[in-house]
Amino acid sequence: IAPYLGNHDIRILDYPGLCATSGEQLYPAMEEIRQTIQQIKKPAQPDTKAQVAELEKGPSDTELIERVKKANADAVDAESFWASFMDSSLNSWDHYTHLRAGFFVLHDCFARGFGLLECADEFMAHLNRLRQGNPERFRNTAHKYVYLARLGLTSNVNRTMTIFWLHQIQIAAVNYQVNNGRDKFPDRGEYAEIALSAPWLMNSGLWRSYYSKDMLFTPEARENWHLPDLQPLPTPAQAKEEEE
């Protein structure tokens, strides 16, 4: 018994003459088993509503900045990152990596004269390429996926969600460009500085300030672009004011 004491509740029953076939001492033994089971404390069940509420509250500004600093420190250089993104050999696929890939796609698409919606089409094509090659690894980012799983929602590529995040990345990049007196869209190698200047990007639940889940996770929103139903998307000037 000794090896199991740490993991199990154990009680030795002592009923001389106990016999299942004759029934002798059977009822007292069964009654003790019943009482013992009732006395065992059941482990506390996780409060799903509380967990979701905590996720919806979002991280503090300090925590977001620390996330950015850690992600920047762990990130590979721009050339290596793009190569691993293109050949599906990324070391990780978290929220930071997802957004960095989105910025790289924006950078290339804007250089070719594409608009945001065309950039979204190209980014979604990349995401579908990655997921077709390795569905388990290249699903939605960890924080977002956990939240959707608790709501019983799927993790398929959502066009409205994709455009929302690309728009947020664009806002951060343009603000960085203006604040640093640049005359052109930032280069790939500047993503670490952009992320540090806009730590709110690391809040994977940022969409909840703009969309209700009843709007965002409809089949229509997955297939087509939908504007937010809670508040308008920010412009670069608005985003700058919010940071200040």
Side-chain angles (χ1 to χ4, degrees), residues 18-191:
L18 176 63
C19 178
T21 55
S22 67
E24 185 177 352
Q25 296 280 44
L26 180 61
Y27 291 106
M30 293 298 294
E31 178 62 18
E32 183 173 353
I33 291 173
R34 185 187 67 80
Q35 292 179 1
T36 301
I37 291 175
Q38 287 181 339
Q39 292 170 4
I40 296 174
K41 294 183 179 180
K42 295 182 179 180
Q45 296 298 317
D47 187 343
T48 303
K49 289 185 179 180
Q51 290 174 334
V52 170
E54 186 66 22
L55 286 170
E56 290 181 340
K57 185 174 66 175
S60 66
D61 292 343
T62 301
E63 184 179 353
L64 290 173
I65 292 172
E66 289 304 314
R67 286 183 187 179
V68 174
K69 288 180 178 178
K70 183 180 186 308
N72 282 344
D74 294 340
V76 299
D77 64 89
E79 184 176 347
S80 299
F81 176 80
W82 184 247
S84 60
F85 176 69
M86 294 302 293
D87 66 15
S88 307
S89 62
L90 290 165
N91 291 329
S92 64
W93 186 241
D94 53 14
H95 186 64
Y96 178 91
T97 307
H98 197 129
L99 295 185
R100 191 183 186 192
F103 171 72
F104 277 42
V105 171
L106 280 179
H107 179 274
D108 280 11
C109 288
F110 286 164
R112 287 180 278 159
F114 290 177
L116 184 64
L117 298 184
E118 293 170 302
C119 295
D121 288 337
E122 183 152 332
F123 190 40
M124 289 180 69
H126 280 297
L127 296 180
N128 285 324
R129 168 181 61 82
L130 294 174
R131 293 178 187 186
Q132 287 172 6
N134 192 335
E136 281 302 309
R137 185 175 189 185
F138 295 108
R139 61 189 181 187
N140 278 346
T141 61
H143 293 83
K144 188 190 309 174
Y145 183 80
V146 170
Y147 179 81
L148 299 184
R150 286 174 179 161
L151 294 176
L153 301 168
T154 64
S155 59
N156 295 332
V157 178
N158 183 310
R159 180 173 174 79
T160 298
M161 179 76 88
T162 300
I163 295 173
F164 168 79
W165 280 111
L166 289 180
H167 176 77
Q168 296 294 336
I169 298 167
Q170 181 186 14
I171 291 291
V174 171
N175 284 342
Y176 175 83
Q177 174 187 339
V178 172
N179 291 337
N180 287 275
R182 306 292 178 82
D183 58 358
K184 64 178 183 178
F185 196 73
D187 292 330
R188 290 176 174 177
E190 296 179 278
Y191 181 74

